[in-house]
Amino acid sequence: MTDSRAPLAQTTVTSLRVVEALDEHGRLGVTALAAELDLAKGTVHKHVTTLERLGYVVKEDREYRLGLGFLGVGVNSQRRLDVYRVGRGPTDRLSKATDTVASLMVAEHGRGRYAYRVPHGDEYELAHHEGDVLPLHATAGGKAILAYTPADRREEILESHGLPPMTEHTITDRDAFREELRSVRDTRTAYDREELLDGWHCVAAPITNEEGDAVAAVSVSAETEFGDASKRTQDVPGLVISTATAIENKLRSP
């Protein structure tokens, strides 16, 4: 676990703030970056030119954008993730079997991050993509992970990140959320009922290690309630659980 009391390298912090601002806005000039980050233009210029020389930022006309150097780092990080390596195939098959968007989520620093995401056809313009960071409490995958996280670590995450509302359906009461996690633990099934995005529903199951702690979660998402038998003939939660079990078995194989 990271020691939050350790001193930070402020130069690194500033460079990453520049990277995050470019990631959010796409292209920005030095003046706009300085205003966005509340930094001196000279400071911003030093950081973007350093990133440019290292191959991580590209200058086009008088603006800067992120370069594909980050793509190489991200792809290599993804490929080295065990749950991605063994879970990609089962997740692909889950998406095809359920006609939904299927995802693998891992937890990093108390937040959820999509390690893999399978779009459903061309009609979906996904709001979130591989690598995106999401709040654990408002996603089915995040709930599945939290329910199978050791209690002390789970409370640390809730204390640090809280339960901010993402939609009017997000569970924001701490006691109600703990009760939700108990239900997830009992059934090995977690639901997002328009809690992250209006109109979208999700069901997830945890992927656990030999100790029973979550290392990831597999989920499916669609604009349909998964509990509505009149709209779906498959046992979608059952398929999600069986996919999680298949990935677990592969992860635990010698």
Side-chain angles (χ1 to χ4, degrees):
M1 188 180 300
T2 303
D3 184 357
S4 60
R5 298 167 297 179
L8 296 176
Q10 289 303 322
T11 300
T12 303
V13 171
T14 301
S15 287
L16 289 176
R17 289 185 65 205
V18 169
V19 168
E20 289 172 349
L22 291 176
D23 182 44
E24 179 180 357
H25 296 284
R27 299 170 186 267
L28 289 173
V30 169
T31 300
L33 267 171
E36 173 73 16
L37 300 174
D38 194 22
L39 294 171
K41 289 196 291 184
T43 299
V44 170
H45 185 264
K46 178 176 66 175
H47 285 274
V48 293
T49 54
T50 299
L51 289 165
E52 181 187 14
R53 289 176 185 176
L54 293 174
Y56 290 99
V57 163
V58 174
K59 185 178 183 181
E60 295 179 341
D61 297 325
R62 300 175 65 87
E63 294 184 323
Y64 294 87
R65 65 168 175 83
L66 297 184
L68 294 181
F70 284 106
L71 178 62
V73 172
V75 167
N76 287 333
S77 176
Q78 182 189 49
R79 287 174 177 169
R80 293 185 181 111
L81 194 64
D82 287 343
V83 73
Y84 169 81
R85 179 175 52 82
V86 304
R88 184 175 55 175
T91 305
D92 286 338
R93 292 190 287 274
L94 177 64
S95 175
K96 184 176 181 180
T98 57
D99 292 323
T100 63
V101 179
S103 309
L104 285 171
M105 176 180 281
V106 298
E108 292 184 342
H109 308 292
R111 306 294 296 274
R113 189 181 292 273
Y114 283 130
Y116 185 57
R117 199 135 211 246
V118 187
H120 172 242
D122 298 328
E123 71 271 25
Y124 283 104
E125 181 62 35
L126 295 180
H128 301 107
H129 304 273
E130 290 179 8
D132 283 357
V133 176
L134 301 168
L136 291 172
H137 74 286
T139 60
K143 291 179 188 179
I145 290 171
L146 285 173
Y148 284 78
T149 294
D152 56 347
R153 175 56 181 154
R154 180 170 61 246
E155 289 303 314
E156 182 181 311
I157 291 171
L158 295 179
E159 187 64 31
S160 176
H161 296 280
L163 302 171
M166 308 304 294
T167 71
E168 64 177 335
H169 303 287
T170 308
I171 300 173
T172 57
D173 178 79
R174 192 72 63 90
D175 290 336
F177 189 70
R178 290 194 182 99
E179 183 61 34
E180 176 88 352
L181 294 186
R182 280 191 286 271
S183 175
V184 173
R185 184 89 187 187
D186 290 342
T187 62
R188 206 186 171 206
T189 309
Y191 291 91
D192 160 14
R193 306 171 181 89
E194 299 186 80
E195 294 164 57
L196 179 68
L197 291 171
D198 286 324
W200 280 86
H201 300 261
C202 183
V203 59
I207 299 167
T208 60
N209 58 21
E210 290 84 350
E211 290 74 38
D213 297 330
V215 296
V218 62
S219 65
V220 295
S221 306
E223 295 177 291
T224 303
E225 293 187 45
F226 292 107
D228 191 336
S230 67
K231 296 181 181 179
R232 290 191 173 273
T233 57
Q234 314 110 308
D235 175 16
V236 175
L239 290 171
V240 173
I241 291 173
S242 63
T243 300
T245 300
I247 297 172
E248 283 179 356
N249 291 338
K250 287 188 175 183
L251 284 173
R252 298 178 188 182
S253 297

